Amino acid sequence: MKYLPIDKSLFETNRTNFKAKMKPNSLAVFNSNDIYPISADSTLPFEQHRDIFYLSGVDQEESILVVFPDCPKKKHREILFLKETNEHIAVWEGEKLTKEKAFETSGIKTVYWLQDMEKIMFELMTQCDTVYINTNEHYRANVETETREDRFTKWLKNKYPAHAVAKSNPIMQSLRSVKSPIEIDLIQKACNITEKGFRRVLEFVKPGVWEFEIEAEFMHEFLRNRSKGFAYTPIIASGNNANVLHYVENNQQCKAGDLILFDVAAEYANYSSDMSRSLPVSGRFTERQKAAYNAVLRVKNEATKMLTPGTDWAAYHVEVGKLMTSELLSLGLLDKADVQNENPDWPAYKKFFMHGTSHHMGLDTHDYGILTEPMEANMVFTVEPGIYIPDEGFGIRLEDDVVIQNTGEPINLMKNIPIEIEEIESLMNS
């Protein structure tokens, strides 16, 4: 891995917190992701399942974590099953985790090779009453592929049909939504790498550059700072491309007078950052662009102040909508009749700001978090309002990542990334 070792106390604490929420005499199983084939012998780069990483720090394919806090055998209360390494694998693929290295990474003392899994699981299943299976219940999940986790669950339920079944996901949603100091530090590192990329791009952008050239500048800076790359598919949208919310082609030339909307950020140690900025290709904003930009910035700043413990996610978005409505009226994009006659289910401001303002962020860019429960301290949220004006050929989105505090305003993890018009213009013309 490119990232530096993570203190194993993070994963030990995460397992302790998970075990505290389990039913008596139960065990839970977590699988790594598959390596997904493309065609012939080609595969996609491996991405670890965030749940097994959260609980163990293991960042390797064909790995299984078993947690059984009430197991009669003390050594079986936490188990890792790993792909056995050997000299052939080391030569062709690189070294895999040894049992000793797995302990250094996770704090788990009992490590078996994967070929022993079914035999050990039989013993464990005779000793437990309930099995926690791990399903993906994120509110944005849309999974068509049968995952390694799915196949394991199917095998387990078929082989041991008399056991009660419980779900790990509600526990994981709750635990992962509140970040520890170590996690916040890792997210801050991702944000700092994103800052380096953005500052590089501020010096690079000029009329005539191509969106994919800008993408390459970001990637250069991310890789040289121990990130494996983008936390999500980057959006580098010049001109009217910015009015396509998930524009990812990045294949157009940037023209003088246009704005470029960036939704680009680095990952670090599997933790995401999530940044949006808007830049003038020519290095200077027009007066109209400035007016819209500052409107978005004001909404972002006021929305950020609302992110406090006890805030309801849905009610928060209603209040942000009111802020945006006021700004759109000032810009002349809406009039009073538009607001008076609006559909309550699709308010007038949605014509120019159609997406949400904030989502949980962490190991996933759209991270775990139960949206019907009040916000808590140490949750990390994005704040990303936007105004999209196809008729005027530009769109603006501004986004930072913030940590909710026990009292006062959230801490902005991207406070050092330029966002004010004066600083951006100064850096682009220096």
Side-chain angles (χ1 to χ4, degrees), residues 120-357:
I120 301 297
M121 280 300 297
F122 178 79
E123 177 183 338
L124 299 178
M125 294 299 283
T126 64
Q127 298 167 340
C128 76
D129 301 319
T130 302
V131 182
Y132 280 83
I133 60 171
N134 195 30
T135 51
N136 185 352
E137 299 178 22
H138 189 272
Y139 65 99
R140 295 177 69 132
N142 181 22
V143 182
E144 296 182 2
T145 304
E146 185 178 54
T147 65
R148 187 178 187 87
E149 197 84 83
D150 294 334
R151 295 195 306 276
F152 185 90
T153 296
K154 190 183 294 183
W155 170 82
L156 191 72
K157 291 170 74 174
N158 182 61
K159 189 168 179 66
Y160 302 102
H163 282 71
V165 174
K167 299 189 300 181
S168 298
N169 193 260
I171 301 176
M172 296 301 290
Q173 291 265 8
S174 176
L175 293 179
R176 278 181 49 185
S177 67
V178 180
K179 272 57 179 181
S180 70
I182 293 176
E183 289 185 287
I184 291 171
D185 183 58
L186 292 168
I187 297 170
Q188 181 69 75
K189 283 185 169 65
C191 291
N192 293 347
I193 296 169
T194 298
E195 178 191 353
K196 291 176 185 294
F198 185 64
R199 289 185 180 274
R200 182 186 182 95
V201 162
L202 282 170
E203 298 177 4
F204 178 78
V205 167
K206 59 183 180 297
V209 302
W210 293 76
E211 293 165 348
F212 56 77
E213 292 181 303
I214 299 171
E215 183 177 345
E217 294 296 308
F218 275 109
M219 180 59 96
H220 175 97
E221 206 64 33
F222 291 177
L223 288 175
R224 70 194 296 262
N225 284 281
R226 292 187 177 271
S227 168
K228 64 188 172 194
F230 298 104
Y232 49 90
T233 305
I235 297 168
I236 301 168
S238 61
N240 238 330
N241 296 331
N243 294 306
V244 179
L245 294 184
H246 291 109
Y247 170 84
V248 294
E249 285 79 4
N250 303 343
N251 63 3
Q252 298 298 304
Q253 195 170 28
C254 303
K255 300 174 182 176
D258 279 348
L259 295 184
I260 309 171
L261 187 156
F262 300 91
D263 197 331
V264 178
E267 70 81 49
Y268 179 79
N270 292 316
Y271 282 84
S272 293
S273 59
D274 193 355
M275 178 199 75
S276 294
R277 291 292 187 272
S278 299
L279 298 183
V281 174
S282 302
R284 302 281 182 194
F285 292 87
T286 67
E287 290 305 311
R288 178 60 169 172
Q289 290 167 350
K290 281 184 181 180
Y293 187 102
N294 283 325
V296 175
L297 184 56
R298 283 191 293 271
V299 172
K300 186 190 79 71
N301 291 341
E302 290 304 311
T304 300
K305 297 174 186 177
M306 299 181 196
L307 294 174
T308 57
T311 297
D312 176 78
W313 186 82
Y316 158 78
H317 279 91
V318 171
E319 292 305 310
V320 175
K322 294 176 182 177
L323 292 173
M324 183 58 78
T325 298
S326 177
E327 294 291 351
L328 293 172
L329 287 166
S330 297
L331 289 168
L333 293 169
L334 294 179
D335 59 34
K336 290 182 179 180
D338 293 324
V339 179
Q340 291 169 350
N341 299 323
E342 70 182 8
N343 177 353
D345 296 326
W346 191 256
Y349 76 86
K350 288 285 189 181
K351 179 179 179 181
F352 301 98
F353 173 39
M354 59 291 294
H355 57 79
T357 307

